[in-house]
Amino acid sequence: MTLELQLKNHIRQALLALYQLSENDVVLQPTKKDFEGFYTFVTFGLTKALRKPPVQIGQELGQYLLLHAPQVSAFNVVQGFLNLSIHDQTWVGLLNEIIADKNFGTKPANGHSAMVEFSSPNTNKPLHLGHLRNVFLGDSISRILKADGNEVVKTCLVNDRGIHICKSMLAYQHLGNGETPQSAGLKGDHLIGKYYVLFDREYKRQVEALTATGLPEEEAKKQAPWMKEAQQMLQKWEQNDPDTRTLWQQMNQWVYDGFGETYQKIGANFDKVYYESQTYLLGKDLVADGLTTGVFFTKPDGSVWIDLTDEGLDQKLVLRADGTSVYMTQDLGTTDLKFKDYGNDRSIWVVGNEQDYHFSVLFKIMKRLGRSYADGCHHLSYGMVDLPSGKMKSREGTVVDADELIAEVTAAAETEGNSKGKLDDFPASEKTQLFSMLGLGALKYYLLKVDPQKRMLFNPAESVELHGNTGPFIQYTHARIRSVLRKAHAMEVPLGAVASDVALQNSERELIFLLTQYPERVADAARDYSPAFVAQYAYDLAKGYNSFYAEVSILGETDPVTLSARVCLSNAVGLTLKKATALLGIDVPERM
RNA sequence: GGUCCCAUAGCUCAGUUGGAUAGAGCAACGGAUUUCUAAUCCGUCGGUCAUAGGUUCGAGUCCUAUUGGGAUCACCA
């Protein structure tokens, strides 16, 4: 049982003993830094029921706890706030529990499972900054859910078909001259992206030429030769035309190779990949079912709809009049497929918040169709990433390319690292690995520390920053701890348990307090689908350690018991930092 | 026009179910290293929590309205 729960129990007993009051939900909060103590109980809420001033209640409760709660060493009352101090022996006991628990912060399997879908790129252009927020979020939340006791299946639904894919294929057919990633010296995804841009350029030119002849713009967009060709190509694709399919496969393969490289660099992977080319026809049988059960209705033209107006939404099309699918149709089918394949009791979609409406409709439909898993569906909706110059727009070429960005953050880490002179004895390969670790650490932390739901600003200068509230700051703290531990090992300082009668500094109590909170913070992150909690925690812990490090001498301590305690504490902090950053997909170095 | 999200220090962000004097980082300025990694630590400066009401012992947090920003309401995905 956690210290907090123990204290709550004691307070509950105190209320019963002193006032015959049975209070079920006792709330404790961490004591503010300016006051003495670690836990605070607020007594304002009891004044009515007890008809006593808040200070008196605090005093009476404090006295009772001092006598009956063995963890409480002292208390003070400020207005309606009862602040509790904790015995050093209690802290040491907690630290020893943490040290002994190899799985600290990781819950045992709870029998539940979750599917997390993320990344889900189009195969007509390379990944960009927005994808990175998506992938980092999806990867991190998968790790967090796993640590919280769930089995997790990571999936990706690749958008590998449709008119936009045909556009780059068409441009390649016309202008490619048999170019390959090898011959062009480009990653496959970048090569395809190039042709997508070329399509757009030529298409615009054609539209302009047509409007110059007096054709209205709307009409010109439809009549432009390349647009017509692209649509024909889509039809050929749907009819399984061999040449079209061959080209499609070739070009998609290039893209997958390119994506694969990027995924590998950032440490992302999937347990199962779904391809839209294989799922886009699904869902029609669900629509048929829903029609017979009256969930859907048919309009005079034959199109099928659902009416969600009684839930504050609109009517939504689920099948076209000609019987072909829309986005919603395939998502219905794919959702069913996912649950059929894996039977997870939860399914999470990491998708930008511009699709909030789509998912609220999707989930409501699933519910009405009586799908047992409907309540387990969750849209992890995240905000857009803005640039200092404004919104990212692919058409205006203001997107930040993922590969370029990764190269930039790595280069920034390299510049800083080499300027220190501390790494001079590192072999070149280790340096490369370290700079990549630090650059990615900076980037991942930068994107994950912000509440996912919020729109965020991407400042290139800040993203490569290595000081302050950053990934490398935490990585540095870990390296620092490892350095201390290496020296402690050489000095043969015992690393087992801490002696229960050791006297603690306040910075040490503070650190142990932070350590005890780790499991709860992971649980919070899992509950709210927010890696930001873990990021904030890792930063607080690293900061706390650096304060401690500056305040006391660890290896210079002459008392062997205290020396050992500080080394043990350092070790526990180092391990916890490593676990917390791992939940963010961030590696930490031994030296830097 | 309907619906949803957002607004906290010069900038980027925290702020647990309503609790104390609203916190970090960056930027600016000033300190700290004969000793464990200075990619560090300590300090100073910086706020009418968009505005106006309401709920109550107490509101950045809950409710209403207003203003400003964004998204969405496609037989696109």
Side-chain angles (χ1 to χ4, degrees):
Chain A
M1 196 190 304
T2 65
L3 174 58
E4 189 176 330
L5 281 176
Q6 291 173 18
L7 292 174
K8 282 180 181 174
N9 280 342
H10 282 298
I11 290 171
R12 211 169 284 130
Q13 281 163 25
L15 291 172
L16 208 55
L18 292 172
Y19 313 116
Q20 293 78 51
L21 193 72
S22 62
E23 184 78 36
N24 284 325
D25 48 339
V26 170
V27 175
L28 277 182
Q29 57 190 15
T31 302
K32 290 230 170 199
K33 282 283 174 299
D34 310 327
F35 299 89
E36 186 75 29
F38 279 90
Y39 290 93
T40 294
F41 179 69
V42 182
T43 60
F44 287 111
L46 299 170
T47 51
K48 248 181 203 166
L50 302 180
R51 268 175 282 164
K52 290 183 175 185
V55 177
Q56 190 185 341
I57 300 171
Q59 288 290 348
E60 289 171 358
L61 277 175
Q63 283 298 343
Y64 183 96
L65 291 172
L66 202 54
L67 283 173
H68 295 91
Q71 302 89 343
V72 176
S73 65
F75 73 93
N76 66 83
V77 177
V78 183
Q79 298 167 47
F81 300 92
L82 168 61
N83 303 320
L84 303 173
S85 298
I86 305 300
H87 278 295
D88 281 357
Q89 284 181 356
T90 303
W91 288 127
V92 170
L94 289 165
L95 176 59
N96 281 332
E97 277 177 36
I98 290 168
I99 289 170
D101 183 0
K102 290 277 172 287
N103 296 316
F104 177 63
T106 306
K107 286 190 192 161
N110 61 18
H112 292 286
S113 70
M115 174 175 277
V116 181
E117 178 193 304
F118 59 102
S119 188
S120 305
N122 292 353
T123 57
N124 63 343
K125 54 189 175 222
L127 303 178
H128 59 69
L129 177 55
H131 291 111
L132 289 182
R133 189 178 196 191
N134 181 308
V135 173
F136 294 162
L137 269 174
D139 181 59
S140 177
I141 205 63
S142 298
R143 294 166 191 263
I144 288 167
L145 290 174
K146 211 173 277 178
D148 200 46
N150 302 280
E151 208 174 284
V152 174
V153 180
K154 292 182 286 183
T155 65
C156 177
L157 175 59
V158 182
N159 188 347
D160 63 341
R161 62 163 284 281
I163 190 73
H164 49 292
I165 310 296
C166 291
K167 288 177 180 175
S168 41
M169 284 164 65
L170 185 74
Y172 180 80
Q173 252 181 356
H174 282 285
L175 311 169
N177 288 321
E179 194 173 36
T180 67
Q182 289 75 20
S183 74
L186 275 177
K187 270 178 85 223
D189 49 339
H190 288 266
L191 181 74
I192 301 309
K194 180 178 112 177
Y195 286 101
Y196 188 68
V197 171
L198 286 176
F199 174 93
D200 204 54
R201 196 176 298 165
E202 171 61 17
Y203 172 58
K204 266 188 192 141
R205 206 191 55 74
Q206 293 177 358
V207 170
E208 274 170 30
L210 286 173
T211 48
T213 67
L215 209 62
E217 196 179 327
E218 283 295 298
E219 196 58 25
K221 281 183 175 168
K222 286 182 196 159
Q223 294 299 326
W226 274 28
M227 181 53 84
K228 288 171 115 175
E229 271 191 66
Q231 262 148 6
Q232 283 162 11
M233 186 180 260
L234 182 59
Q235 280 178 9
K236 278 183 170 174
W237 182 90
E238 287 184 1
Q239 290 154 10
N240 266 313
D241 173 66
D243 289 347
T244 311
R245 286 283 177 152
T246 304
L247 178 64
W248 172 73
Q249 258 164 0
Q250 174 64 80
M251 291 183 71
N252 271 350
Q253 191 53 52
W254 287 341
V255 172
Y256 297 144
D257 292 344
F259 285 173
E261 252 181 70
T262 307
Y263 285 143
Q264 189 171 9
K265 263 191 287 185
I266 61 181
N269 53 65
F270 304 96
D271 302 309
K272 167 76 179 173
V273 178
Y274 288 102
Y275 296 92
E276 215 188 281
S277 55
Q278 291 163 16
T279 63
Y280 81 107
L281 294 174
L282 296 175
K284 292 186 185 181
D285 46 345
L286 269 84
V287 173
D289 284 352
L291 266 175
T292 60
T293 55
V295 173
F296 303 128
F297 68 94
T298 312
K299 286 202 174 177
D301 66 354
S303 57
V304 182
W305 297 70
I306 186 162
D307 188 352
L308 294 167
T309 46
D310 58 337
E311 296 197 61
L313 303 175
D314 304 301
Q315 293 190 347
K316 185 84 186 172
L317 178 91
V318 294
L319 199 67
R320 293 193 184 100
D322 62 6
T324 56
S325 299
V326 288
Y327 180 40
M328 186 60 76
T329 325
Q330 19 176 323
D331 251 12
L332 292 170
T334 309
T335 303
D336 238 20
L337 178 67
K338 285 170 157 185
F339 280 98
K340 212 177 289 168
D341 284 350
Y342 290 93
N344 307 100
D345 34 32
R346 255 199 291 182
S347 196
I348 293 128
W349 284 259
V350 183
V351 178
N353 63 9
E354 70 272 16
Q355 294 199 35
D356 283 355
Y357 183 75
H358 171 77
F359 281 101
S360 80
V361 171
L362 175 67
F363 298 160
K364 280 183 167 55
I365 293 178
M366 282 308 180
K367 185 99 181 164
R368 290 199 184 184
L369 286 174
R371 290 301 188 272
S372 58
Y373 52 74
D375 290 328
C377 292
H378 183 260
H379 174 203
L380 202 180
S381 162
Y382 64 91
M384 308 224 152
V385 183
D386 285 328
L387 301 175
S389 54
K391 288 181 67 168
M392 274 201 293
K393 286 179 183 157
S394 48
R395 298 231 172 99
E396 292 169 24
T398 53
V399 286
V400 175
D401 178 73
D403 293 313
E404 277 175 35
L405 183 57
I406 293 163
E408 274 168 34
V409 291
T410 306
E414 183 169 1
T415 307
E416 174 92 2
N418 284 331
S419 72
K420 299 276 173 203
K422 286 194 287 188
L423 308 172
D424 295 347
D425 60 332
F426 269 50
S429 67
E430 261 180 57
K431 268 195 193 176
T432 309
Q433 210 181 343
L434 177 65
F435 296 143
S436 161
M437 191 192 286
L438 296 178
L440 280 173
L443 188 56
K444 289 186 179 182
Y445 187 85
Y446 184 80
L447 291 174
L448 288 175
K449 72 175 174 181
V450 181
D451 180 352
Q453 295 187 316
K454 289 192 178 164
R455 198 183 180 89
M456 68 174 288
L457 186 88
F458 180 84
N459 183 321
E462 277 179 21
S463 71
V464 300
E465 186 55 55
L466 311 169
H467 307 268
N469 189 357
T470 66
F473 170 85
I474 300 163
Q475 291 170 314
Y476 170 76
T477 308
H478 181 265
R480 205 177 207 191
I481 291 171
R482 294 302 302 163
S483 173
V484 169
L485 291 173
R486 279 193 298 274
K487 291 204 163 76
H489 181 72
M491 291 163 63
E492 294 177 0
V493 178
L495 251 181
V498 177
S500 62
D501 59 343
V502 73
L504 297 175
Q505 301 290 316
N506 211 41
S507 60
E508 294 169 317
R509 295 186 193 106
E510 190 62 43
L511 271 180
I512 298 171
F513 173 70
L514 275 170
L515 286 173
T516 63
Q517 292 205 312
Y518 177 61
E520 201 184 327
R521 300 299 287 275
V522 175
D524 289 345
R527 184 199 59 219
D528 289 353
Y529 301 98
S530 176
F533 288 141
V534 177
Q536 182 68 41
Y537 176 81
Y539 174 67
D540 288 340
L541 185 59
K543 200 168 144 62
Y545 186 83
N546 283 321
S547 293
F548 158 73
Y549 184 95
E551 188 182 309
V552 306
S553 175
I554 301 166
L555 300 177
E557 173 58 46
T558 48
D559 174 46
V561 174
T562 307
L563 168 64
S564 171
R566 288 181 183 161
V567 172
C568 287
L569 178 58
S570 297
N571 192 31
V573 171
L575 290 172
T576 307
L577 280 179
K578 188 169 185 157
K579 286 181 189 181
T581 47
L583 293 183
L584 304 172
I586 295 174
D587 281 331
V588 287
E590 293 291 307
R591 296 175 56 195
M592 69 183 267

